[in-house]
Amino acid sequence: MNNKKEFTSGVQDVDNTDASTQKIQKKQMVLGVGLGNNFGIHQGAWRMPHADPNDYTNINATVKQVKVAERGGLQFIFLSDFFFTKEDLRETPPIISLDVLITLAAVSQATESIGLIGTASTSFTEPYLLARQLKALDVISRGRIGWNAVPSYDAESFANFGKNLPPREKKYERLHEVVQIVQALWGSWEYEAGQPDQTGMFADPTHVRPVNLKGQHVGTRGPLPIPPSDQGQPVVVMPAGSSYGLQAAAMYANVIIGRPSSIEESKALRNTVRNAAEKAGRNPDEVKLITFAGFTIGDTKREALDKRAALDDKIDIRGQLRLLSAYLGLNEELTQPDEPLTEAQLAAVHAHPLDATSQHVVELAKAGWSPRDILAHAVLEPYPTVVGTGEQAADLLQEWYEADATDGFLLIIDDFNTGIDDFVDHVVPVLQERGIFHKDYEGRTFRDHFGLPSQYGLDPRIITK
């Protein structure tokens, strides 16, 4: 990639030259929900009596779910993406939406305030097209777009583009070039181009400039013929992944998404993220860590367990029972899933001393829960999960947030048709009463919701090679 002086030519660095010293607004807890196939994260959700099996292709179902999230004041929705079908279609629909960017375009016109994060791979699409699609979405949504920028990781996706899976370092070389070029293109229509004047110019062409960038993998001339959005340009979101991924996230991302399983692990991750951002020349307060948390909500814990068990009834749980047996330290199959363990089985169970899941499973078994009820506690999920009341869900969120383990949460809902309403109606009011979640949107843009500084074009503090 060209050196920094050449690279940033033609990039408008509005409000960025002093970004490291800007005061970052203190925000309350940030909440968003992961969506996708219109049924839910649980594989049995599409078989529930209240589900319409045709909703996978029904954009109105997506819009309805997002409107519920917006009614609850959630700051964002999140759509993941990949380019192959990894599910067994005999048993479950694909987990993703039909197309992320098209879905966001439809949702943006049916909502007013909620932020919209969409995943778009850096591995296949040319940066000029990505820049145009994402900034157009940001303009038509009035500044509500976040771009989850990730390289694709699987051979199946690359095969669908007629390519072989490259080494990880090559994927991230391309990611760095794509992100830098996309951001430079976003800034190529400068603020100084002005507003359309019917007695003068539509825009001052001296401030709509080519960027003329070329790396080893991708390049562009530019400019991009799209003026600034209400927030300038989309916010970059990235996962907290490998060392390559963390380096990239520290350089470019304002929102980093992680999946720690405990408060201690999350605090360590948050410190790692902040230190990496500071090492990249940025103010660590500009970078928000969002972590996964799963929920099934009921008026009582028993009701919530019954909701989760009803979903489990729609799938084959034999594989989960075998895994449960292993966590219990048993050398036998659990053939009576609706009965508590026998005295002989309880005498034989033993938790792995270094495995928190194993310890939790053993505790539930010794408390008299049946294997089916133990599974209904969502013990096999890789992130913290509450199957219980709104107050119990709020307790978990508050504990993590007040421990400075995270800035907010990506909510994982097992049944979109009922679970988003349950969270909005039974958890959000508790969080608001406790003063840790806002009661209304304080602004309209994605940056407003997260308390992020403005940025236009490529961040001039980033050291490029």
Side-chain angles (χ1 to χ4, degrees):
M1 185 67 72
N2 294 351
N3 64 39
K4 184 177 178 183
K5 181 177 180 181
E6 293 172 333
F7 187 85
T8 57
S9 63
V11 179
Q12 178 68 9
D13 298 323
V14 173
D15 291 331
N16 273 349
T17 54
D18 63 345
S20 62
T21 61
Q22 288 188 30
K23 179 178 175 62
I24 308 302
Q25 184 180 359
K26 175 65 176 176
K27 304 295 288 185
Q28 292 176 303
M29 180 188 298
V30 174
L31 296 176
V33 61
L35 299 178
N37 62 12
N38 289 334
F39 299 111
I41 298 301
H42 196 287
Q43 292 184 348
W46 77 279
R47 296 184 185 273
M48 295 300 288
H50 52 253
D52 182 342
N54 295 308
D55 272 351
Y56 177 57
T57 56
N58 183 4
I59 190 63
N60 292 327
T62 312
V63 167
K64 180 180 178 181
Q65 292 158 12
V66 179
K67 283 187 171 182
V68 173
E70 189 171 60
R71 174 172 66 83
L74 271 61
Q75 287 96 336
F76 69 96
I77 65 162
F78 177 90
L79 293 178
S80 61
D81 196 17
F82 37 84
F83 292 107
F84 71 105
T85 303
K86 60 182 180 180
E87 293 82 14
D88 182 348
L89 295 180
R90 293 170 298 183
E91 300 295 333
T92 185
I95 196 65
I96 59 174
S97 62
L98 296 178
D99 182 275
V100 168
L101 299 186
I102 290 176
T103 298
L104 291 185
V107 167
S108 72
Q109 300 307 290
T111 55
E112 295 181 358
S113 300
I114 194 167
L116 310 170
I117 301 176
T119 302
S121 174
T122 60
S123 296
F124 308 115
T125 306
E126 290 298 313
Y128 185 90
L129 180 57
L130 265 179
R132 185 174 72 168
Q133 290 174 326
L134 290 163
K135 196 175 185 189
L137 277 174
D138 206 36
V139 168
I140 69 172
S141 68
R142 300 195 63 185
R144 293 188 285 134
I145 296 298
W147 172 31
N148 183 39
V150 293
S152 293
Y153 61 88
D154 52 275
E156 292 89 344
S157 289
F158 281 87
N160 282 334
F161 288 86
K163 299 181 179 182
N164 295 322
L165 180 66
R168 176 171 291 183
E169 63 269 19
K170 294 298 181 183
K171 290 193 298 182
Y172 276 95
E173 283 178 6
R174 180 182 166 108
L175 177 142
H176 281 278
E177 293 182 9
V178 168
V179 173
Q180 291 176 23
I181 289 174
V182 164
Q183 290 192 317
L185 285 167
W186 284 344
S188 62
W189 184 305
E190 301 173 359
Y191 279 98
E192 285 82 357
Q195 298 296 317
D197 181 354
Q198 290 182 317
T199 64
M201 293 186 294
F202 182 81
D204 183 348
T206 64
H207 290 285
V208 183
R209 311 182 190 182
V211 295
N212 293 321
L213 297 174
K214 186 169 179 60
Q216 295 181 4
H217 301 272
V218 290
T220 190
R221 183 186 65 181
L224 189 69
I226 303 177
S229 73
D230 284 18
Q231 67 173 353
Q233 65 189 32
V235 172
V236 174
V237 180
M238 287 184 172
S242 64
S243 58
Y244 288 106
L246 179 62
Q247 179 193 34
M251 291 175 65
Y252 311 117
N254 278 120
V255 178
I256 297 178
I257 299 179
R259 198 172 67 177
S261 60
S262 68
I263 288 178
E264 292 72 22
E265 185 180 338
S266 190
K267 290 175 73 172
L269 175 60
R270 189 165 184 260
N271 287 334
T272 298
V273 163
R274 290 175 60 84
N275 290 337
E278 188 170 25
K279 186 177 180 180
R282 302 170 66 198
N283 180 348
D285 288 339
E286 297 175 26
V287 182
K288 308 299 182 183
L289 176 66
I290 303 298
T291 55
F292 283 56
F295 299 95
T296 306
I297 305 300
D299 289 335
T300 63
K301 185 175 182 67
R302 180 68 260 174
E303 180 182 307
L305 289 170
D306 289 343
K307 287 183 178 181
R308 181 82 181 199
L311 289 163
D312 288 341
D313 285 344
K314 301 298 182 182
I315 63 173
D316 185 348
I317 63 169
R318 287 177 293 180
Q320 294 184 52
L321 288 172
R322 287 192 290 270
L323 189 55
L324 197 65
S325 180
Y327 277 123
L328 289 166
L330 296 175
N331 294 318
E332 61 178 280
E333 291 189 13
L334 298 171
T335 57
Q336 301 295 324
D338 296 306
E339 299 295 329
L341 270 63
T342 65
E343 291 185 8
Q345 288 173 322
L346 288 173
V349 301
H350 56 279
H352 191 291
L354 301 179
D355 191 318
T357 298
S358 176
Q359 295 167 23
H360 187 205
V361 167
V362 168
E363 289 174 1
L364 292 171
K366 290 184 175 181
W369 294 100
S370 70
R372 189 180 298 277
D373 274 340
I374 294 175
L375 290 177
H377 280 78
V379 293
L380 301 184
E381 299 294 0
Y383 40 77
T385 302
V386 171
V387 182
T389 66
E391 288 78 10
Q392 290 170 328
D395 289 344
L396 179 138
L397 296 173
Q398 183 174 7
E399 182 183 12
W400 278 57
Y401 183 70
E402 293 187 343
D404 285 333
T406 185
D407 296 295
F409 300 89
L410 174 58
L411 310 176
I412 306 301
I413 304 295
D414 50 23
D415 186 340
F416 297 156
N417 281 291
T418 60
I420 304 173
D421 282 280
D422 288 341
F423 189 92
V424 165
D425 294 334
H426 299 289
V427 184
V428 167
V430 178
L431 296 173
Q432 291 171 333
E433 289 172 5
R434 296 179 183 182
I436 55 177
F437 187 65
H438 66 188
K439 294 187 176 181
D440 198 4
Y441 295 105
E442 298 173 5
R444 289 198 70 261
T445 72
F446 192 107
R447 293 181 190 277
D448 291 336
H449 300 339
F450 280 74
L452 299 175
S454 59
Q455 178 179 339
Y456 199 59
L458 183 66
D459 190 334
R461 295 168 297 173
I462 297 303
I463 300 172
T464 60
K465 295 182 180 180

